[in-house]
Amino acid sequence: MSEDTGEKVVELAKRRGYFFRSSSAYGGVGGFYTFGPQGAALKGNVEEAWRDRFAVGEGHMEIDAPTIMPEPVFEASGHLDTFDDMLVECPDCGESSRADHVVEDNTEYEDAESFPIPEVEEIVAEYELVCPECGAPLAGAAIEEFNLMFETQVGPGDGQPGYLRPETAQGIFVEFPRLKEYARGQLPFGVTQVGRAYRNEISPRRSIIRTREFTQAELELFVDPEGDGPDLSAVEDVPVRLYPASEQQAEEGDEVETTVGEAVADGTIADPWVAYFLGVAREWYESVGVDMDRFRFRQHLAGERAHYAADCWDAEGEVGGNWIELAGFAHRGDYDLSKHQAHSDERFTVFRQYDEPKTVERAAVDPDMSYLGPEFGGDAGDIVSGLEELAERDRAAFEDETVTVEIDGESHEIPVEKTGFAVEERTESGEHVVPHVIEPSFGVDRLVYTILEHAYREDEVDGEERTYLELDPEVAPTFVGVFPLQSDAELESEAEGIAASLRAEGLSVTYDDSGAIGRRYRRQDEVGTPFCVTVDYESREDSAVTLRERDSTDQVRLPIDDLPGTLSALREGDLEFGELSG
Ligand code: GAP
């Protein structure tokens, strides 16, 4: 599909109420979009399908956390220090651009995001790259790190600094100590969340593909680092198109067509949990209408990975001739839970029971507070914590007459005899471990866009050009349109009655009596409504209506009484339109 199709999709989206720029009465602001009635319904259906598969279908819990979180969360998570993109400002017009995107859009480099800044500066100069806005040369312009988080103040006055979450994941990680209780401390367990995330993107672009406020559907699966992997039998035969890092770096590298089982067996996908989710995701994406000929999984190159990720594969969809990231499947290791444990007073571990109790040697301290108190005053508590931590980590430090403890960069000498240091034998029934995290993280807005572009069709009906969306009935915002054939009070009332009976069946129905019947069909075709029902004068005699299918435009006559059951069966996929006789 060409860029041209992208423009047509964006135009259709605005015309038919899928999405449009927000606050346009006030000039709008880049990177914010409103989902209109059709878009909100499509997005809601996609989110529901995601929940069915990844929360309910996998037996995981769902939570709903605040979108604003206090600063210490992001100090711990690393977002304050490292959640940056490369910003270059045009020396002429002042327009801000993402330097790595300027490089990727205008050179053969596809992964400039993973390059260090000096290398990007060199490429900008060597290729004489220019400002995308005004065409002025960018060579020599400084490239800087720009943190993507939106900051805010919580409460009046100076308040407390807070940030709009850049990923829903942190709302799950910080609640781990409580969530593990709900999971009865048993690994593996998963927690999901569908909600808004915020990133102050340098140059939001391509409608809802890169915005500053968007919806993520994330699953954080907590696993025992030494535990068994998943049962792969349900996904081992799922075909996958992979683009591993090694192939991206090879001179004549290419995508690999394989199956999930084979990719695990030959080591292409290192982690079986990641492989499991790629298989589940591939089937799920297909079920909501992503074209599998325009879909692949690409492994991140080492320099491209987020600060928390040990390995990561992206699900990518092709839109407008380019691959875009639809979801990331990251192995986050113990990064997040260890960081939150180190920065807070909570324990981000679970207790792993041994098969048999073990006798182990434990080094511990029992400090003499009558010495530490007068000697260190208010710092005595920190000294005790420092001694406890040192005893666990480095027994040799207690071998001399004094031991050195570092508190806030300052060294303190303590006589070992005052520390109560001792090594004891203990029988232990288990140990505390920091779980590892496997994270499938889906972007919902990009997926909505991809579904629309992959469903976009043009054809000719009765000598007239037609545009329609071949949306899957499971996600289509409107399932059936109901029309009276002509403007006639009796026909209208019959059609309204039918619309009401279909709504009562739980179907999403639109009633339309304005304009010629052909135009009403075209309207619903453009919205992607799979079926239309027309009530005509014959309906009174034969108690039947015309049911029309969107894609083929074929029509059949059906008894009114059969409509709810027939349409429900069509929606569930228990019946094909072709099985109905005309
Ligand atoms: N918790 C992991 C995480 O946030 P990510 O790859 O940064 O990973 C996950 O984001 C998904 O969120 C992406 O695959 C993409 O679909 C979506 N996403 C990220 N930034 C976005 C943006 N600015 N606009 C729309 N969607 C975005």
Side-chain angles (χ1 to χ4, degrees), residues 228-250:
D228 294 333
D231 174 5
L232 286 176
S233 57
V235 293
E236 63 193 352
D237 294 329
V238 173
V240 279
R241 181 174 166 194
L242 302 180
Y243 197 17
S246 55
E247 290 295 320
Q248 293 168 57
Q249 285 163 326

Side-chain angles (χ1 to χ4, degrees), residues 2-321:
S2 62
E3 262 181 48
D4 194 33
T5 310
E7 279 167 26
K8 289 179 184 172
V9 169
V10 172
E11 186 45 46
L12 183 150
K14 196 163 145 188
R15 192 170 59 247
R16 293 293 172 212
Y18 273 99
F19 58 81
F20 43 85
R21 273 183 74 148
S22 301
S23 309
S24 55
Y26 294 93
V29 50
F32 294 93
Y33 277 79
T34 295
F35 285 92
Q38 304 298 341
L42 171 59
K43 183 165 172 276
N45 290 346
V46 168
E47 289 168 6
E48 233 14 75
W50 189 90
R51 282 194 175 93
D52 276 355
R53 185 63 197 90
F54 289 91
V56 181
E58 294 286 310
H60 298 319
M61 319 177 226
E62 178 173 356
I63 67 162
D64 186 6
T67 56
I68 294 178
M69 303 177 82
E71 188 167 54
V73 169
F74 299 110
E75 271 164 9
S77 70
H79 284 88
L80 265 180
D81 278 348
T82 55
F83 199 60
D84 302 323
D85 275 342
M86 290 181 219
L87 168 74
V88 62
E89 225 172 80
C90 173
D92 245 37
C93 71
E95 177 76 10
S96 298
S97 304
R98 254 185 82 167
D100 51 327
H101 285 171
V102 174
V103 168
E104 286 167 10
D105 292 348
N106 299 290
T107 71
E108 71 278 13
Y109 295 105
E110 288 173 5
D111 54 343
E113 189 183 356
S114 63
F115 300 168
I117 283 183
E119 197 175 333
V120 177
E121 284 175 335
E122 270 173 36
I123 297 171
V124 168
E126 185 189 335
Y127 284 78
E128 299 179 357
L129 299 180
V130 297
C131 167
E133 187 63 24
C134 73
L138 289 175
I143 298 177
E144 286 167 13
E145 301 281 17
F146 175 76
N147 192 284
L148 297 185
M149 284 200 297
F150 282 104
E151 190 179 358
T152 185
Q153 290 293 123
V154 182
D158 283 347
Q160 188 194 355
Y163 292 85
L164 277 74
R165 64 185 181 194
E167 55 171 4
T168 66
Q170 294 305 324
I172 297 176
F173 295 142
V174 296
E175 306 307 345
F176 178 82
R178 194 175 297 275
L179 294 169
K180 77 172 179 199
E181 302 297 331
Y182 302 147
R184 297 172 300 284
Q186 300 293 314
L187 296 176
F189 73 91
V191 183
T192 66
Q193 187 166 202
V194 180
R196 298 281 187 167
Y198 302 83
R199 297 183 189 175
N200 197 3
E201 296 285 354
I202 293 171
S203 46
R205 55 184 187 170
R206 302 181 66 196
S207 71
I208 56 171
I209 292 174
R210 184 176 297 283
T211 54
R212 289 180 165 136
E213 174 171 351
F214 52 95
T215 301
Q216 291 185 318
E218 300 202 292
L219 161 58
E220 309 302 326
L221 183 76
F222 300 101
V223 300
D224 186 329
E226 288 171 21
D228 294 333
D231 174 5
L232 286 176
S233 57
V235 293
E236 63 193 352
D237 294 329
V238 173
V240 279
R241 181 174 166 194
L242 302 180
Y243 197 17
S246 55
E247 290 295 320
Q248 293 168 57
Q249 285 163 326
E251 209 153 286
E252 304 220 335
D254 208 350
E255 292 158 359
V256 182
E257 299 281 354
T258 181
T259 61
V260 170
E262 276 169 31
V264 173
D266 66 21
T268 309
I269 306 174
D271 186 83
W273 277 113
V274 171
Y276 173 75
F277 285 117
L278 296 194
V280 174
R282 195 263 185 213
E283 296 203 308
W284 181 77
Y285 274 121
E286 187 170 24
S287 76
V288 293
V290 174
D291 179 352
M292 286 299 118
D293 291 333
R294 301 165 72 186
F295 179 83
R296 70 178 184 187
F297 292 108
R298 187 182 68 82
Q299 189 178 23
H300 278 203
L301 299 171
E304 189 187 350
R305 287 200 289 266
H307 57 277
Y308 48 73
D311 189 17
C312 186
W313 287 80
D314 282 348
E316 293 189 330
E318 184 268 306
V319 293

Side-chain angles (χ1 to χ4, degrees), residues 481-484 495 510-515 517 519-521 523-524:
V482 179
F483 318 141
T510 189
Y511 170 84
D512 185 358
D513 59 11
S514 63
I517 191 75
R519 286 191 50 198
R520 282 183 262 166
Y521 281 141
R523 248 192 319 258
Q524 292 310 315

